[in-house]
Amino acid sequence: EEHLSAMRSSLIDAVSTRIPARDVPFAILLSGGLDSSLICRLVADLIYPQTLHTFTITAHDMRDAPSLLDSDCHFARLIAKEATNVVHEEVHFCQEDGLYVLPHVVQRLETTDAAMIRAGVPLYLLSKHISAQGFKVVLCGEGADESMAGYRLFEEYYITDGDQFSHELKRRLFNIDTSELQRVDRCTSAHGLEARVPFLDVTYVNEVLKIKVEEVNSLTLPDCRDFFKVIIHLAHPLSPNCVLC
């Protein structure tokens, strides 16, 4: 409980310190996932009582192959409705839009990694739209999977091998500057936006690393049996139930 309380306080502090001065317009990238949804709820409910702008993006012309972005938009709408001070906007793009910016995305990312480019295209388009609205800073939930083992690859051994789990988590954090998170900085800065990532706050990450895998494994949380969701649920009561499990 002591660690969870410290996590809760440190994340609130991390979010608060990344909200810019009043004369700098900012927004939140609300994907509809657990991490960005929590950031949105913390800002809207506890930190920033003024009007808060959130954005998400979806592909609108791929009916034969529904995009994961479509389900993300559904949850983003639910989260936005929970707060009275949130103004939420959905940005739509089509296949032609993606193909048009593809060379620019590759150039900005300086990579041929397919996964990074695929994720970079919608972020590039969304960043362009947000920048055109006059925003200078965006808060996002990126970094949560790295700091709290949200990737599925951790599931194969965190229940049975706590040492290996901790080693892999620390290794990925140590090498985060070469990870696919480079797309966040590069796609946003391409349009004059500054992306701020509370989940990678040093104090917050250190608090997460204090939690022992064995402690999490001893907990029972219905329908949620991964490290990331368990500690998010326990440490942050504001975590949205609609996207938790």
Side-chain angles (χ1 to χ4, degrees):
E1 179 59 37
E2 180 181 351
H3 290 331
L4 295 176
S5 177
M7 279 180 57
R8 187 179 305 120
S9 298
S10 60
L11 183 59
I12 293 173
D13 290 342
V15 174
S16 297
T17 57
R18 284 163 176 78
I19 294 178
R22 288 183 179 272
D23 59 342
V24 179
F26 80 98
I28 294 180
L29 301 183
L30 179 58
S31 69
L34 179 57
D35 38 17
S36 66
S37 297
L38 177 55
I39 295 299
C40 179
R41 288 293 305 275
L42 287 175
V43 176
D45 295 358
L46 300 181
I47 301 171
Y48 193 81
Q50 293 93 334
T51 299
L52 177 65
H53 294 268
T54 61
F55 293 86
T56 190
I57 189 167
T58 186
H60 65 71
D61 67 342
M62 302 180 185
R63 300 179 186 87
D64 295 333
S67 171
L68 289 176
L69 295 173
D70 294 331
S71 60
D72 290 344
C73 277
H74 168 70
F75 288 114
R77 293 185 205 112
L78 293 178
I79 299 303
K81 287 180 180 179
E82 290 181 355
T84 58
N85 58 332
V86 169
V87 176
H88 183 63
E89 181 179 350
E90 292 180 11
V91 177
H92 301 268
F93 76 100
C94 63
Q95 186 174 11
E96 288 73 19
D97 295 329
L99 291 173
Y100 179 77
V101 302
L102 184 58
H104 303 287
V105 174
V106 173
Q107 182 183 40
R108 289 293 181 174
L109 293 180
E110 298 181 329
T111 183
T112 56
D113 182 85
M116 191 185 301
I117 294 170
R118 183 171 60 249
V121 168
L123 179 56
Y124 184 91
L125 289 167
L126 183 58
S127 298
K128 180 180 180 180
H129 177 84
I130 294 174
S131 178
Q133 305 304 306
F135 295 98
K136 301 299 181 182
V137 173
V138 289
L139 271 66
C140 61
E142 301 289 351
D145 287 322
E146 285 75 15
S147 62
M148 290 182 289
Y151 293 119
R152 288 190 178 277
L153 64 92
F154 288 102
E155 295 178 6
E156 64 185 66
Y157 49 66
Y158 92 83
I159 294 179
T160 58
D161 193 341
D163 290 338
Q164 182 63 25
F165 172 84
S166 298
H167 173 78
E168 180 63 16
L169 181 60
K170 292 176 181 178
R171 185 190 71 80
R172 286 180 169 270
L173 285 170
F174 184 80
N175 294 289
I176 202 167
D177 60 311
T178 60
S179 74
E180 66 96 18
L181 285 184
Q182 294 176 86
R183 65 179 170 77
V184 179
D185 281 333
R186 296 179 181 183
C187 288
T188 54
S189 62
H191 301 290
L193 283 177
E194 177 190 348
R196 299 183 178 180
V197 285
F199 279 113
L200 290 180
D201 179 85
V202 173
T203 301
Y204 180 73
V205 171
N206 284 333
E207 290 298 336
V208 174
L209 293 177
K210 291 178 183 177
I211 297 179
K212 303 297 183 182
V213 176
E214 293 77 12
E215 297 174 354
V216 175
N217 289 339
S218 66
L219 301 172
T220 300
L221 184 60
D223 301 322
C224 294
R225 285 308 307 150
D226 70 65
F227 185 86
F228 174 56
K229 289 183 178 180
V230 170
I231 62 175
I232 279 286
H233 180 81
L234 295 174
H236 306 291
L238 284 175
S239 56
N241 289 328
C242 63
V243 296
L244 181 62
C245 300

